[in-house]
């Protein structure tokens, strides 16, 4: 498990070093969340930072990709794996929409995730999140966010809220 996370972190760092922007405009004239940019990110949640009735301790890792189809509007797709101490592990896949408030990097997102818990059940979970894109340089961000997942199968046991930290790369 540690090797997987270390490999994932190294891959993101390698992408960050090689990420370049190709444009004729100077950097100062381009909006940070301008149309035509691509987005790649990884995120981690759990470590007792999320809560619902069925999960006492879990860790989830996800990969996310996106495209800014209009200034401040991004469509996203993601895949992830959730490891649970007391419940079955799960694979997730989903899509969403994100809106950036350009002045400060704050964003709000809506989406839906298909969750497949091994040997247990399948669920569709609408999700809402609120986060902040903090730029480390022109392309790399740290993105803390809070989220709420609503289970359509069993609200009381599987719906929950939590905190996620992510690393993103924006490139053209």
């Amino acid at each position: 498990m540690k090797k997987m996370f270390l490999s994932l972190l190294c891959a993101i760092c390698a992408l960050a070093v090689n990420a370049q922007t190709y444009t004729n405009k100077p950097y100062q004239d381009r909006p940070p969340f301008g149309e035509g940019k691509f987005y790649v990110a990884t995120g981690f949640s759990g470590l007792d930072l999320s809560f619902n009735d069925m999960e006492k301790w879990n860790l989830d890792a996800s990969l996310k990709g996106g495209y800014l189809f209009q200034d401040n509007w991004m469509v996203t797709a993601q895949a992830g794996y959730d490891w649970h101490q007391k419940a079955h592990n799960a694979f997730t896949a989903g899509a969403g929409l994100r809106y950036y408030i350009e002045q400060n990097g704050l964003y709000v997102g809506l989406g839906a995730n298909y969750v497949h818990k091994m040997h247990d059940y399948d669920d569709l979970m609408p999700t809402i999140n609120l986060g902040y894109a903090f730029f480390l340089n022109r392309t790399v961000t740290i993105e803390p966010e809070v989220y709420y997942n609503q289970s359509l199968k069993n609200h009381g046991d599987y719906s929950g809220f939590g905190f996620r930290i992510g690393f993103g790369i924006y490139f053209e």
Side-chain angles (χ1 to χ4, degrees):
M1 193 79 163
K2 290 180 185 177
K3 289 180 183 179
M4 181 182 77
F5 291 127
L6 184 58
S7 298
L8 189 60
L9 187 58
C10 288
I12 292 296
C13 289
L15 282 172
V17 169
N18 292 322
Q20 297 179 5
T21 57
Y22 299 99
T23 182
N24 292 331
K25 290 182 175 180
Y27 174 70
Q28 294 84 353
D29 294 342
R30 290 178 298 150
F33 308 110
E35 179 178 351
K37 288 189 177 184
F38 292 93
Y39 169 76
V40 177
T42 184
F44 301 98
S45 181
L47 302 173
D48 290 333
L49 297 176
S50 64
F51 172 80
N52 68 37
D53 288 345
M54 295 301 288
E55 300 171 2
K56 299 304 178 203
W57 194 90
N58 75 314
L59 175 66
D60 95 19
S62 63
L63 293 174
K64 187 181 286 189
Y67 178 72
L68 283 144
F69 63 92
Q70 187 176 0
D71 285 356
N72 302 325
W73 288 95
M74 180 190 292
V75 62
T76 62
Q78 73 175 26
Y81 181 78
D82 295 338
W83 178 83
H84 301 274
Q85 183 178 16
K86 295 189 178 191
H88 290 118
N89 298 337
F91 289 103
T92 61
L97 188 64
R98 187 185 277 190
Y99 176 74
Y100 290 91
I101 300 170
E102 188 173 339
Q103 295 82 4
N104 58 12
L106 188 67
Y107 64 84
V108 63
L110 295 171
N113 292 321
Y114 171 75
V115 179
H116 174 72
K117 288 217 182 231
M118 294 177 226
H119 312 293
D120 203 5
Y121 75 97
D122 295 331
D123 197 357
L124 182 64
M125 296 182 122
T127 184
I128 185 168
N129 53 48
L130 177 67
Y132 181 76
F134 176 75
F135 279 87
L136 298 176
N137 63 24
R138 292 182 354 182
T139 57
V140 179
T141 59
I142 293 177
E143 299 180 348
E145 71 178 24
V146 293
Y147 64 89
Y148 178 76
N149 293 331
Q150 173 67 47
S151 174
L152 296 181
K153 183 168 181 109
N154 186 337
H155 170 73
D157 289 340
Y158 299 114
S159 296
F161 61 91
F163 175 78
R164 179 180 298 118
I165 186 82
F167 300 95
I169 301 170
Y170 294 80
F171 56 95
E172 294 184 44

